[in-house]
Structures are given as C-alpha cells and as structure tokens.
C-alpha cells in the first residue's frame, strides 16, 4: 500500500509550531481567500515563512537551504545568467555530475523547473528557501557587479594604496566578484562570533572552512572545489603573500576595519596534499587587555600571583600547551606593572599586540635577530622588567637566568604539561641545576576551559558517573551542591558554552623545592612536595570551578584527569 504523504499543516502541528485550532482557522482563511495553506499561515502570522518552507521541504523530501549560513551560494551565482536569476527569483547552489542544483521557493512550480531545464540545457535538482530570503539575497549580491567589487574592496582594504586596489581588481574579474564577497562575509562573521582563528582547508572534494570559537573548531562552510584557487588567491593577495609561490610556507598580515574596530589578522599558508591550507589568526587588542582579576584565579592564587609579580628579581615562568592563554596571563601581569617609573622590554616572536609604555622587540631569525641577541642587547638598556616570549633552548635560558640573577624580573613561557615539569625541562636543556634552583621564583601552569553560557544554564540532575570517576569526584563531594550544564541557545550557537577562564597550578619555590631542583629530583617527587606546601593542582582548580557551577565535568575532563579512578562509594 502506498505511503500517504503528510499534509503541510499536519507537519507543523507535529513539530509543535502550530495548534490544531490555529490550523483550522488558517484552512478557513485560505479557502475563503483562494490562497494556499502556507500563504494563509504566514499572512495570519501563525507561522513564520521559514517554518512553512522547512515543512514544505519535509513534505516533498527536498533540501532546505539557510541562505544566511550557506556562503557557497554567493560563489555559485555565475552558474546561471543574471537575468534568469532576477526574472524568476531562483539561485544556483552548485553543480555535480552534470546536474545543476537550484534554490526555489515553491516546490509545486513545475513549469519553472521545466523552463530552467530548457534554458540552461541541463538536468535540475531543486532545493527550497523562503521567497523573501531569496529576494534579499539577490538584491544584495546582484546590485551592480562593478560597484560591488569597489565597495567590498573598500571595506576589506581600507588602508590599501591605489596600486594594491589595482592589483586586486585585476585579479578579481567580473566572474570572481563573489569570491571577494565570500571572503568578506567569512571574516566578518568570524569576528562577530568571537572566533580566534579561521581555517581554510582544501580537501579532495571541497574547501572546508572552520572557525575556532572558545578553543573548539566548528565547521562553518563547504566551498565548492571549483572555487579553491580563487579563494586561496584572494586570501594570499590580502595578506601580501606571494601568489606564485605554493611550495613553501608563507606568513602575512591583514588589517581590516570591522564594526568600527581595527582588527589585525596573522595569516599562515602551509602547502598540503590538496592545496595550501590557510589559517587566519584574529588578533583582538581587547582580548589580551584583561585584568589579572578576570583570568579566573581563586582568591588565594590571585594573592600569590600579585605578590610574585611585584618581586624585584627572579624568573617567573608560565607553562602550558599552545592556546592555553600563557601570553594573555603574562600581558595581564605586565599591565599591572606598567608604570612610568619602570622600564619594560619584551622579546616576542612575533609581536602580536602593541602596548603603550613597553618597548617591544620582534625576533627576526632571517637577519640573525634571535631571542638570545635581543636579550643581550636588552641588558644594556637598563630595564627593570623583561619578557622573553619563550625559552626555547639553552642559550636563551642561560641569558634569561643571568638577567634574573643580576637584578631583573624576567617573565617567560615554557611548553610543559604541569608546573613541576618545568624544572626538569630547564635542566634537560642544559641549564645547571643550581642556576635553576636559585633564579626561578614561581611556575604557573594553566589551561583555558569553556564557561557555561549564562543564558541557557540549567541544572544537571544526573551528572555523568564516568566523568565523575575520571575527575576523582565522589558522591559526598557534591552533596548539597548543584552541578550545571548549558542547554544550548542562540547566544552560544547551541554549544552550551560562552567564554573561557583559566584553571591554574601555581608552584611557589621554597627551600625544600630548591633543594630538590638542585639535586635533580624526579618530577613526581617535586610535585608531591609542592602539593604538600600548598600548591593546588590543575585538576583541583577544575573541580572547584565545577562545584561553583562555572563549568562542566566534560570540559574539565578534556584538560585534566585523575591518575586513579575512584568509585562513587569511596
């Protein structure tokens, strides 16, 4: 027996978007006014046009296209003559195996589909989108190609000179104009969505675009493979990268005005199997101009941190993997110390953020300006405070420690998993144990964890038992407390998280720890002594934030886990 196709009203009622009474009202209105049920629902404001179109797509087993989120539509416009698009209010979505996918608003307009097959001499696959959104999209994208190029170029390259504009227009002919629009849309949206990176990655069948938001990569768009070369060329042109060179990695920068703010982008191009992978790092000055109090320290760690950074000399190390917020923490410390009576010099690779009152030097290995060379020159500048971007090798480490021993306060970063591991790492580099023991004042390990979105924060009545075991949380630990999670909402893009804070492990050096470092004690022994002297581990700090309702079990488990699984009854 044939399966009965659900009616439009039945679908909307089953989705709880329409009541049975409202459906009957719309049916009467449609019958008396000679309209379709969908039109009646929209006119009576019982459903949105978007909901009706989604229901039609379900009814006719068609794809629904969200034009506000599908950037690929903008680059496919050249597949259909502009006159056809405007006259019949249709949009091309792409082409595959000789079949053209076209976005329409009425699934029953078979005459339109036949006309398109005849005029374009190809087979047509139809997808649905709301009529008003199709019209708005056409008005936005086809309001004059030449004028659009100039307008978009002005918004993207406001500081570019006439030669740059001439090059860009030469590279972007009339057929490529949507590429400029596409790049502009992707960059502006990433900035608005608080993303830290944009990843443009060529693959075998498409170009994947991902945003990194709150430390997690989210796939945003799939650009057709046919547009790969144009997209990559546009990004490289904006970044001032050699278009012809595709065999070696290249770096560049883009400066744009978005929403009234000047935003810098650090661009990295890396040759890969299917083409060059390009990453745009979004550099927002406000993101590192946060006070120490906003980093996420517990009260006792905050007091310790403020005491350490006010010491007259010594080395203060911040450790953690890439993207754990080390630079933000060090900049917050320097801003606390940035006063007219202090001279601060930094050696960075590269200088990403500029701060008034600090002397910032950029490492340039191509001309021999290394960390070590800058550091030696710094000491002749009579600074009070020195920041070394990273201790990478023995030479830099020795100069930094000598600077600390001669009366300077030295801040730097190191790549280790925890605070006690930094001692062994320095000694493994070749720095003598007695120098490490006498110069290092404190080591801070940190990670960035996502914070539960306040708009959709709800109680978690059944916390995951396995996650509790991973984090060493027992039933008695959560007695009388409420754990929370994010339900997902528009403000957090459905993730349940919005924003990030740090979890920290601060190890202050004392006589016992200095003696262990001098005797090359194993990291485990140093860790036990540090905890005995009051150090709170990353896991402990994470557990505190879970119990305070700041974050979730799953989020802390991504960054720190207990070495031993415990049972709930223990």
């Amino acid at each position: 027996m044939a399966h009965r196709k659900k009616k439009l009203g039945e679908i909307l009622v089953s989705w709880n978007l329409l009541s049975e009474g409202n459906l009957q009202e719309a049916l009467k209105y449609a019958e008396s006014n000679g309209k379709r049920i969908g039109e009646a629902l929209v006119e009576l404001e019982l459903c949105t046009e978007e909901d009706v179109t989604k229901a039609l797509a379900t009814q006719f087993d068609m794809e629904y296209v969200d034009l506000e989120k599908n950037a690929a539509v903008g680059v496919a416009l050249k597949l259909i003559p502009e006159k056809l698009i405007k006259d019949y209010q249709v949009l091309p979505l792409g082409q595959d195996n000789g079949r053209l996918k076209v976005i329409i608003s009425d699934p029953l307009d078979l005459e339109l589909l036949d006309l398109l097959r005849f005029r374009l001499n190809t087979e047509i696959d139809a997808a649905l989108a709301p009529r008003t959104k199709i019209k708005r999209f056409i008005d936005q994208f086809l309001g004059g190609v030449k004028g659009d190029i100039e307008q978009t170029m002005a918004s993207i390259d406001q500081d570019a000179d006439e030669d740059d504009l001439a090059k860009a227009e030469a590279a972007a002919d009339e057929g490529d104009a949507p590429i400029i629009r596409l790049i502009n849309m992707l960059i502006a949206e990433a900035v608005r969505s608080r993303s830290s990176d944009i990843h443009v990655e060529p693959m075998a069948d498409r170009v994947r675009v991902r945003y990194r938001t709150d430390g997690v990569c989210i796939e945003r768009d799939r650009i057709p493979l046919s547009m790969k070369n144009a997209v990559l060329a546009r990004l490289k042109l904006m970044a001032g990268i050699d278009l012809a060179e595709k065999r070696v990695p290249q770096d560049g920068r883009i400066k744009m005005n978005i929403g009234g703010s000047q935003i810098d982008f650090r661009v990295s191009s890396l040759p890969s199997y299917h083409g060059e992978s390009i990453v745009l790092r979004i550099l927002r000055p406000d993101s590192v101009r946060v006070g120490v109090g906003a980093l996420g320290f517990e009260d006792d760690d905050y007091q310790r941190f403020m005491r350490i950074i006010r010491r007259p000399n010594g080395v203060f190390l911040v450790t953690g993997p890439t993207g754990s917020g080390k630079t933000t923490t060090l900049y917050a410390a320097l801003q606390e110390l940035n006063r007219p009576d202090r001279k601060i010099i930094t050696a960075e690779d590269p200088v990403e953020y500029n701060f008034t009152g600090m002397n910032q030097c950029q490492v340039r290995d191509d001309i021999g300006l290394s960390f070590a060379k800058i550091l030696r020159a710094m000491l002749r500048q009579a600074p009070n405070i020195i920041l070394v971007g990273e201790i990478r090798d023995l030479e830099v480490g020795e100069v930094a420690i000598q600077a600390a021993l001669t009366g300077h306060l030295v801040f730097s970063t190191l790549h280790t998993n925890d605070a006690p591991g930094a001692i062994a790492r320095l000694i493994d580099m070749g720095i003598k144990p007695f120098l490490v023991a006498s110069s290092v004042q404190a080591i801070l390990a940190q990670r960035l964890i996502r914070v539960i979105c306040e708009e959709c924060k709800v109680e978690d009545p059944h916390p995951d038992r396995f996650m509790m075991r991973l984090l060493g949380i027992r039933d008695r630990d959560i007695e009388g407390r409420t754990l929370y999670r994010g339900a997902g909402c528009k403000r957090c893009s459905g993730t349940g998280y919005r924003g990030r804070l740090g979890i920290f492990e601060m190890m202050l050096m004392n006589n016992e720890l200095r003696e262990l470092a001098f005797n090359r004690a194993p990291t485990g022994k140093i860790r036990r002594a540090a905890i005995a002297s009051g150090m709170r581990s990353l896991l402990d700090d994470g557990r505190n934030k879970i119990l305070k309702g700041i974050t979730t079990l799953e989020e802390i488990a991504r960054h720190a886990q207990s070495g031993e699984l415990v049972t709930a009854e223990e």
Side-chain angles (χ1 to χ4, degrees):
M1 190 172 78
H3 180 70
R4 185 180 76 85
K5 183 180 288 187
K6 267 192 172 184
K7 293 182 179 179
L8 180 68
E10 291 176 348
I11 295 170
L12 290 166
V13 170
S14 69
W15 290 355
N16 294 323
L17 296 173
L18 186 68
S19 69
E20 196 66 48
N22 287 339
L23 174 58
Q24 296 305 318
E25 179 189 348
L27 286 169
K28 288 178 185 176
Y29 178 88
E31 186 175 357
S32 60
N33 290 277
K35 295 183 179 291
R36 293 183 186 174
I37 179 64
E39 294 171 332
L41 288 167
V42 174
E43 287 184 17
L44 293 171
E45 297 184 353
L46 297 173
C47 284
T48 65
E49 186 186 18
E50 187 173 356
D51 289 335
V52 169
T53 309
K54 286 180 179 177
L56 284 170
T58 300
Q59 184 184 20
F60 289 93
D61 195 22
M62 297 171 70
E63 179 185 354
Y64 173 84
V65 179
D66 188 340
L67 292 174
E68 293 176 353
K69 294 184 178 179
N70 197 317
V73 180
V75 301
L77 287 174
K78 64 182 181 179
L79 295 174
I80 295 181
E82 183 176 323
K83 190 174 188 310
L84 272 181
I85 292 174
K86 288 182 175 179
D87 288 350
Y88 298 101
Q89 296 291 290
V90 296
L91 287 168
L93 183 59
Q95 202 164 20
D96 188 28
N97 294 327
R99 299 178 70 90
L100 180 67
K101 183 172 282 189
V102 177
I103 303 170
I104 61 175
S105 59
D106 184 359
L108 295 173
D109 196 347
L110 303 179
E111 187 178 343
L112 172 61
L113 295 175
D114 287 337
L115 183 143
L116 291 173
R117 287 190 188 97
F118 176 76
R119 294 285 297 272
L120 300 171
N121 193 27
T122 186
E123 285 300 312
I124 301 289
D125 290 328
L128 287 184
R131 183 184 299 275
T132 54
K133 287 194 175 184
I134 292 176
K135 185 179 185 305
R136 192 185 310 138
F137 194 95
I138 292 171
D139 290 343
Q140 178 187 354
F141 273 74
L142 297 175
V145 176
K146 183 63 176 175
D148 284 347
I149 291 177
E150 293 173 351
Q151 183 181 352
T152 309
M153 288 298 299
S155 67
I156 293 180
D157 294 358
Q158 290 189 356
D159 298 326
D161 57 30
E162 291 180 5
D163 289 338
D164 289 335
L165 289 174
K167 286 178 190 174
E169 290 205 26
D173 58 19
E174 186 172 313
D176 284 334
I179 293 295
I180 299 175
R181 294 181 174 281
L182 171 63
I183 299 303
N184 192 28
M185 287 164 56
L186 291 175
I187 291 175
E189 185 188 35
V191 172
R192 285 195 299 270
S193 64
R194 306 175 299 104
S195 300
S196 59
D197 305 274
I198 306 170
H199 299 258
V200 181
E201 304 159 320
M203 306 185 79
D205 58 344
R206 68 187 189 279
V207 178
R208 181 171 67 176
V209 178
R210 295 190 292 172
Y211 295 161
R212 187 183 294 278
T213 305
D214 290 335
V216 177
C217 277
I218 300 168
E219 187 164 336
R220 176 61 186 83
D221 281 299
R222 296 184 175 198
I223 298 171
L225 193 61
S226 60
M227 310 309 296
K228 178 182 76 173
N229 291 335
V231 168
L232 298 182
R234 174 62 188 160
L235 286 169
K236 290 172 71 175
L237 184 69
M238 291 169 65
I241 292 174
D242 184 359
L243 292 175
E245 182 56 76
K246 301 179 181 179
R247 301 164 299 169
V248 296
Q250 297 185 81
D251 294 308
R253 286 184 90 104
I254 298 172
K255 193 181 289 285
M256 287 178 60
N257 190 300
I258 297 175
S261 300
Q262 194 72 13
I263 308 291
D264 281 355
F265 300 83
R266 193 177 77 198
V267 183
S268 170
S269 168
L270 178 70
S272 61
Y273 187 77
H274 294 293
E276 291 172 283
S277 171
I278 294 182
V279 176
L280 285 74
R281 178 81 183 274
I282 303 172
L283 306 175
R284 293 184 181 83
D286 293 342
S287 66
V288 290
R289 289 192 169 95
V290 296
V292 174
L295 296 176
F297 284 114
E298 297 290 323
D299 289 341
D300 53 351
D301 277 344
Y302 173 79
Q303 298 299 332
R304 291 191 194 109
F305 184 87
M306 297 302 288
R307 284 199 302 271
I308 292 162
I309 65 174
R310 284 180 166 79
R311 291 186 180 181
N313 56 58
V315 176
F316 178 45
L317 294 172
V318 180
T319 79
T322 302
S324 59
K326 301 187 296 294
T327 302
T328 301
T329 299
L330 288 178
Y331 278 144
L334 290 183
Q335 286 175 85
E336 286 285 335
L337 303 172
N338 190 11
R339 301 285 183 272
D341 61 335
R342 297 190 182 103
K343 176 151 183 164
I344 301 173
I345 306 182
T346 74
E348 303 171 61
D349 183 20
V351 174
E352 293 184 343
Y353 303 98
N354 181 252
F355 291 88
T356 304
M358 299 184 199
N359 299 274
Q360 295 173 268
C361 306
Q362 179 156 321
V363 171
R364 292 187 59 189
D365 289 322
D366 55 329
I367 60 170
L369 189 62
S370 62
F371 271 122
K373 187 167 282 189
I374 292 174
L375 261 173
R376 289 193 175 91
M378 275 183 188
L379 298 178
R380 296 193 287 273
Q381 297 269 316
N384 301 104
I385 299 160
I386 293 170
L387 167 67
V388 185
E390 182 185 347
I391 295 179
R392 296 179 177 174
D393 52 38
L394 172 62
E395 187 179 15
V396 175
E398 284 184 334
V399 178
I401 283 175
Q402 287 300 330
L405 293 174
T406 52
H408 303 89
L409 181 59
V410 180
F411 293 94
S412 191
T413 69
L414 204 61
H415 286 288
T416 62
N417 288 326
D418 58 10
I423 299 291
R425 177 81 181 94
L426 291 171
I427 294 172
D428 286 345
M429 280 184 185
I431 299 171
K432 292 180 173 56
F434 77 89
L435 290 176
V436 174
S438 57
S439 62
V440 175
Q441 298 291 340
I443 302 166
L444 177 72
Q446 69 176 72
R447 301 290 189 277
L448 286 179
I449 53 110
R450 292 183 292 173
V451 174
I452 299 171
C453 174
E454 289 296 330
E455 293 291 321
C456 60
K457 188 174 183 177
V458 295
E459 184 179 341
D460 186 359
H462 305 293
D464 189 314
R465 291 287 170 183
F466 179 68
M467 288 295 173
M468 287 177 63
R469 293 178 64 201
L470 279 180
L471 299 175
I473 297 176
R474 300 170 176 84
D475 282 345
R476 63 172 177 264
D477 296 328
I478 60 173
E479 281 180 10
R481 296 178 182 268
T482 303
L483 302 188
Y484 293 91
R485 61 180 176 83
C489 64
K490 187 174 181 180
R491 187 167 181 264
C492 64
S493 302
T495 62
Y497 300 96
R498 185 176 172 86
R500 289 193 289 176
L501 283 177
I503 55 172
F504 302 96
E505 180 176 274
M506 189 178 298
M507 186 175 84
L508 273 65
M509 297 296 286
N510 55 29
N511 289 336
E512 182 185 3
L513 293 173
R514 293 187 195 284
E515 187 174 343
L516 289 171
F518 179 78
N519 292 319
R520 297 175 181 258
T523 299
K525 192 170 184 180
I526 295 175
R527 166 170 281 279
R528 287 191 293 273
I531 290 173
S533 64
M535 181 184 83
R536 181 188 296 110
S537 70
L538 286 169
L539 181 58
D540 288 336
D541 200 26
R543 279 195 286 246
N544 283 347
K545 288 180 169 60
I546 292 170
L547 297 175
K548 287 182 176 181
I550 295 171
T551 190
T552 63
L553 294 163
E554 292 78 10
E555 186 61 17
I556 296 300
R558 289 176 59 229
H559 299 283
Q561 295 182 7
S562 176
E564 299 177 4
L565 291 179
V566 298
T567 62
E569 293 77 27
E570 283 185 315

